[in-house]
Amino acid sequence: QGYETNIKRIPLAEIIDVRTGITGSPVLKRYDLPKEVDNLVLSVITKRRSLDLKANDPATRNRWVKFFASIIG
């Protein structure tokens, strides 16, 4: 209580899109990522920023995508 934190977060209400693959966000496009991670990454998009995430396997990535898509639904 009464202290500041550096924890960054994206309020769920601010999510406007969820994109998959290595071209999902401007940040991911800047890096020469191997094609092998294309089915592991997703980008959570808001008006002000994006959050890029990498799952351990495609099934987990797909569950995350479905979850975020249900929020913006």
Side-chain angles (χ1 to χ4, degrees), residues 2-26:
Y3 64 91
E4 291 189 33
T5 179
N6 288 330
I7 297 174
K8 303 211 185 241
R9 56 191 157 274
I10 294 177
L12 296 177
E14 291 184 12
I15 298 172
I16 58 172
D17 197 9
V18 178
R19 300 178 189 157
T20 58
I22 56 177
T23 59
S25 77

Side-chain angles (χ1 to χ4, degrees), residues 17-73:
D17 197 9
V18 178
R19 300 178 189 157
T20 58
I22 56 177
T23 59
S25 77
V27 174
L28 288 177
K29 288 178 188 178
R30 278 188 241 154
Y31 297 96
D32 188 25
L33 297 174
K35 296 281 185 201
E36 295 81 40
V37 300
D38 192 58
N39 65 347
L40 300 177
V41 296
L42 70 133
S43 301
V44 178
I45 310 295
T46 73
K47 288 182 181 179
R48 296 183 295 150
R49 63 180 284 212
S50 64
L51 172 65
D52 300 309
L53 302 168
K54 180 178 174 267
N56 290 328
D57 56 76
T60 300
R61 196 260 332 240
N62 293 339
R63 282 194 302 272
W64 290 351
V65 169
K66 285 181 185 178
F67 170 75
F68 290 119
S70 72
I71 290 171
I72 61 175

